[in-house]
Amino acid sequence: MDLETMKARLTEIHAKLGSFEALETLTSENMTEIEALSTEFDNLENQIKAKEILAKRKTVASTGRQVAPVAVVEAKPVAVKNGGFENAGSFFMAVKETGLGKRDQRFDNTMFEKNGDEGGFLVPEEFMSEIVKKISGDESLLSKTRQFTISGNSLTLPTDEITPWTGGVQAYWTAEGAPIQDSKTKIGMASWRLNKLAAMVKLTDELADDAVALESYVKAMAPEAISYKLNEAILVGDGNGKPSGILNSPFRVVVAKESGQTANTVVTRNIVKMYAKMLPSSRRNAVWYINAAVEPELMLLKDDNGNFIYLAPGSQLNQSPYGLLLGRPVIPMLASLPELGAEGDIVFADLSYYYTILKSGGMKNSASTHLYFDRDITAFKFTMRIDGNCPFKSPVTVEHGNYEMSGFVTLADR
């Protein structure tokens, strides 16, 4: 098989693998075929890379030139990555033109799920990877949760909430020759079921006339809307058609306000008590999430010796982009958290205790010129299926006394 034939076959395999993404459920035959195609794809890529190296060396040898070894950078043809479109702007412009009756031949590529007559086009995977990357950045809480990717619609996991001093598996001091006392773990169950999250971006023909502006607009608006809704659900979601958030979790510990504390304030003892309620094993991961209006309150807090307990970002002792409160990052949230003075305006959380499930295949997306045809608007739709909650039903109580601790700590209404 020559080099061009290999590249053509590589394109065919990529298109075939892309066709499986539209399937809601994969059969065992589908999965066997996907595995075989993936193996063939990898082998072809390696052979193409090797042949290109040999061809380059042959050229150099024929000219008699001496050159230093050059690292070979693997590059896939544009047609393999995104159906022949150079960038997202050119793709969206082609969608617009198709809506006006000027169908772009690149849409005949088998990687596109629908044709223009049906009113929609699958957005190429290469473009979507940039959107997913933004959603999973530092500003997103989703990336900090414990994630599971599933092929079905739900997930059930066993849970163990028993500590060594409250039952379950226990160890005992045993005299020599004496029988060992037995113990038995107590297993519960936690479940998640996928919910659908969708965003629609509408572009006027005027904006679509500028491919660069169009690409920037879509890539900014879609991640922003989706990230906001995900953050909101993880923090305050009620579980009705969406994830159940931290503020509705029975695992959380709520720290009461101080006697005589003024409304809509935060005092040093609030912070000290919240920190003390965080599980010791979670303190290296825990982060303070605050309503932005809380930050001025934190900047004024001092300990009994008159030392400020909040270190502002960029200060001599804190060169991170976020403030530090008792050594842990403080991230102001522009949205999602309740107003100053309400429970949840400040949350101390280790999000590894928050479990999320995502549908395999990630985000789905399409573009339509027909939905708002009478208003000269093209619609771009982004959808993903996700669920999330904390599987634990109560805080941890220390062995001696009734002192409760958790990976989620909030401050009560003030």
PDB file of all heavy atoms in Angstrom, residues 60-76:
ATOM      1  N   VAL A  60      17.323  13.529   1.005  1.00  0.00           N
ATOM      2  CA  VAL A  60      18.580  14.111   1.510  1.00  0.00           C
ATOM      3  C   VAL A  60      19.783  13.357   0.951  1.00  0.00           C
ATOM      4  O   VAL A  60      20.779  13.950   0.524  1.00  0.00           O
ATOM      5  CB  VAL A  60      18.596  14.097   3.049  1.00  0.00           C
ATOM      6  CG1 VAL A  60      19.972  14.510   3.566  1.00  0.00           C
ATOM      7  CG2 VAL A  60      17.526  15.021   3.587  1.00  0.00           C
ATOM      8  N   ALA A  61      19.690  12.015   0.921  1.00  0.00           N
ATOM      9  CA  ALA A  61      20.804  11.201   0.435  1.00  0.00           C
ATOM     10  C   ALA A  61      21.083  11.466  -1.044  1.00  0.00           C
ATOM     11  O   ALA A  61      22.226  11.510  -1.488  1.00  0.00           O
ATOM     12  CB  ALA A  61      20.496   9.717   0.656  1.00  0.00           C
ATOM     13  N   SER A  62      20.022  11.655  -1.829  1.00  0.00           N
ATOM     14  CA  SER A  62      20.188  11.881  -3.264  1.00  0.00           C
ATOM     15  C   SER A  62      20.858  13.212  -3.574  1.00  0.00           C
ATOM     16  O   SER A  62      21.509  13.371  -4.599  1.00  0.00           O
ATOM     17  CB  SER A  62      18.835  11.808  -3.973  1.00  0.00           C
ATOM     18  OG  SER A  62      17.992  12.874  -3.538  1.00  0.00           O
ATOM     19  N   THR A  63      20.724  14.168  -2.704  1.00  0.00           N
ATOM     20  CA  THR A  63      21.336  15.492  -2.917  1.00  0.00           C
ATOM     21  C   THR A  63      22.721  15.591  -2.310  1.00  0.00           C
ATOM     22  O   THR A  63      23.455  16.545  -2.575  1.00  0.00           O
ATOM     23  CB  THR A  63      20.461  16.595  -2.316  1.00  0.00           C
ATOM     24  OG1 THR A  63      20.316  16.350  -0.906  1.00  0.00           O
ATOM     25  CG2 THR A  63      19.082  16.605  -2.958  1.00  0.00           C
ATOM     26  N   GLY A  64      23.058  14.604  -1.443  1.00  0.00           N
ATOM     27  CA  GLY A  64      24.368  14.619  -0.813  1.00  0.00           C
ATOM     28  C   GLY A  64      24.497  15.596   0.321  1.00  0.00           C
ATOM     29  O   GLY A  64      25.595  15.845   0.801  1.00  0.00           O
ATOM     30  N   ARG A  65      23.374  16.200   0.762  1.00  0.00           N
ATOM     31  CA  ARG A  65      23.426  17.173   1.847  1.00  0.00           C
ATOM     32  C   ARG A  65      23.476  16.473   3.199  1.00  0.00           C
ATOM     33  O   ARG A  65      22.922  15.393   3.371  1.00  0.00           O
ATOM     34  CB  ARG A  65      22.218  18.111   1.804  1.00  0.00           C
ATOM     35  CG  ARG A  65      22.220  19.026   0.607  1.00  0.00           C
ATOM     36  CD  ARG A  65      21.061  20.021   0.674  1.00  0.00           C
ATOM     37  NE  ARG A  65      19.778  19.363   0.506  1.00  0.00           N
ATOM     38  CZ  ARG A  65      18.860  19.232   1.459  1.00  0.00           C
ATOM     39  NH1 ARG A  65      19.115  19.697   2.661  1.00  0.00           N
ATOM     40  NH2 ARG A  65      17.708  18.639   1.215  1.00  0.00           N
ATOM     41  N   GLN A  66      24.110  17.102   4.155  1.00  0.00           N
ATOM     42  CA  GLN A  66      24.135  16.607   5.520  1.00  0.00           C
ATOM     43  C   GLN A  66      23.244  17.505   6.367  1.00  0.00           C
ATOM     44  O   GLN A  66      23.447  18.707   6.409  1.00  0.00           O
ATOM     45  CB  GLN A  66      25.566  16.637   6.080  1.00  0.00           C
ATOM     46  CG  GLN A  66      26.535  15.720   5.351  1.00  0.00           C
ATOM     47  CD  GLN A  66      26.172  14.254   5.543  1.00  0.00           C
ATOM     48  OE1 GLN A  66      25.767  13.860   6.629  1.00  0.00           O
ATOM     49  NE2 GLN A  66      26.317  13.464   4.483  1.00  0.00           N
ATOM     50  N   VAL A  67      22.264  16.925   7.012  1.00  0.00           N
ATOM     51  CA  VAL A  67      21.363  17.713   7.849  1.00  0.00           C
ATOM     52  C   VAL A  67      21.236  17.062   9.213  1.00  0.00           C
ATOM     53  O   VAL A  67      21.397  15.852   9.365  1.00  0.00           O
ATOM     54  CB  VAL A  67      19.951  17.832   7.211  1.00  0.00           C
ATOM     55  CG1 VAL A  67      20.027  18.577   5.908  1.00  0.00           C
ATOM     56  CG2 VAL A  67      19.331  16.453   7.021  1.00  0.00           C
ATOM     57  N   ALA A  68      20.979  17.896  10.187  1.00  0.00           N
ATOM     58  CA  ALA A  68      20.773  17.377  11.545  1.00  0.00           C
ATOM     59  C   ALA A  68      19.422  16.686  11.616  1.00  0.00           C
ATOM     60  O   ALA A  68      18.483  17.045  10.891  1.00  0.00           O
ATOM     61  CB  ALA A  68      20.819  18.526  12.550  1.00  0.00           C
ATOM     62  N   PRO A  69      19.297  15.660  12.465  1.00  0.00           N
ATOM     63  CA  PRO A  69      18.006  14.984  12.604  1.00  0.00           C
ATOM     64  C   PRO A  69      16.916  15.975  12.991  1.00  0.00           C
ATOM     65  O   PRO A  69      17.121  16.859  13.814  1.00  0.00           O
ATOM     66  CB  PRO A  69      18.265  13.970  13.734  1.00  0.00           C
ATOM     67  CG  PRO A  69      19.747  13.785  13.749  1.00  0.00           C
ATOM     68  CD  PRO A  69      20.326  15.097  13.342  1.00  0.00           C
ATOM     69  N   VAL A  70      15.782  15.826  12.396  1.00  0.00           N
ATOM     70  CA  VAL A  70      14.650  16.704  12.668  1.00  0.00           C
ATOM     71  C   VAL A  70      13.509  15.879  13.263  1.00  0.00           C
ATOM     72  O   VAL A  70      13.176  14.815  12.736  1.00  0.00           O
ATOM     73  CB  VAL A  70      14.155  17.401  11.369  1.00  0.00           C
ATOM     74  CG1 VAL A  70      12.935  18.260  11.663  1.00  0.00           C
ATOM     75  CG2 VAL A  70      15.274  18.230  10.781  1.00  0.00           C
ATOM     76  N   ALA A  71      12.964  16.375  14.356  1.00  0.00           N
ATOM     77  CA  ALA A  71      11.830  15.673  14.969  1.00  0.00           C
ATOM     78  C   ALA A  71      10.633  15.732  14.036  1.00  0.00           C
ATOM     79  O   ALA A  71      10.299  16.789  13.499  1.00  0.00           O
ATOM     80  CB  ALA A  71      11.480  16.322  16.305  1.00  0.00           C
ATOM     81  N   VAL A  72      10.014  14.591  13.830  1.00  0.00           N
ATOM     82  CA  VAL A  72       8.855  14.529  12.949  1.00  0.00           C
ATOM     83  C   VAL A  72       7.599  14.822  13.758  1.00  0.00           C
ATOM     84  O   VAL A  72       7.323  14.172  14.755  1.00  0.00           O
ATOM     85  CB  VAL A  72       8.730  13.129  12.299  1.00  0.00           C
ATOM     86  CG1 VAL A  72       7.480  13.070  11.438  1.00  0.00           C
ATOM     87  CG2 VAL A  72       9.970  12.847  11.476  1.00  0.00           C
ATOM     88  N   VAL A  73       6.867  15.829  13.350  1.00  0.00           N
ATOM     89  CA  VAL A  73       5.624  16.196  14.025  1.00  0.00           C
ATOM     90  C   VAL A  73       4.458  15.567  13.280  1.00  0.00           C
ATOM     91  O   VAL A  73       4.272  15.812  12.084  1.00  0.00           O
ATOM     92  CB  VAL A  73       5.446  17.730  14.072  1.00  0.00           C
ATOM     93  CG1 VAL A  73       4.127  18.083  14.754  1.00  0.00           C
ATOM     94  CG2 VAL A  73       6.630  18.361  14.793  1.00  0.00           C
ATOM     95  N   GLU A  74       3.728  14.749  13.984  1.00  0.00           N
ATOM     96  CA  GLU A  74       2.590  14.072  13.359  1.00  0.00           C
ATOM     97  C   GLU A  74       1.502  15.080  13.013  1.00  0.00           C
ATOM     98  O   GLU A  74       1.103  15.901  13.823  1.00  0.00           O
ATOM     99  CB  GLU A  74       2.023  13.032  14.334  1.00  0.00           C
ATOM    100  CG  GLU A  74       0.853  12.263  13.774  1.00  0.00           C
ATOM    101  CD  GLU A  74       0.327  11.268  14.777  1.00  0.00           C
ATOM    102  OE1 GLU A  74       1.077  10.949  15.716  1.00  0.00           O
ATOM    103  OE2 GLU A  74      -0.818  10.815  14.622  1.00  0.00           O
ATOM    104  N   ALA A  75       1.049  15.040  11.776  1.00  0.00           N
ATOM    105  CA  ALA A  75       0.004  15.962  11.345  1.00  0.00           C
ATOM    106  C   ALA A  75      -1.028  15.214  10.536  1.00  0.00           C
ATOM    107  O   ALA A  75      -0.689  14.458   9.626  1.00  0.00           O
ATOM    108  CB  ALA A  75       0.604  17.090  10.511  1.00  0.00           C
ATOM    109  N   LYS A  76      -2.274  15.405  10.891  1.00  0.00           N
ATOM    110  CA  LYS A  76      -3.359  14.764  10.157  1.00  0.00           C
ATOM    111  C   LYS A  76      -3.873  15.722   9.090  1.00  0.00           C
ATOM    112  O   LYS A  76      -3.891  16.928   9.287  1.00  0.00           O
ATOM    113  CB  LYS A  76      -4.493  14.392  11.115  1.00  0.00           C
ATOM    114  CG  LYS A  76      -4.080  13.385  12.162  1.00  0.00           C
ATOM    115  CD  LYS A  76      -5.253  13.073  13.065  1.00  0.00           C
ATOM    116  CE  LYS A  76      -4.835  12.090  14.152  1.00  0.00           C
ATOM    117  NZ  LYS A  76      -5.952  11.802  15.074  1.00  0.00           N
TER     118      LYS A  76
END
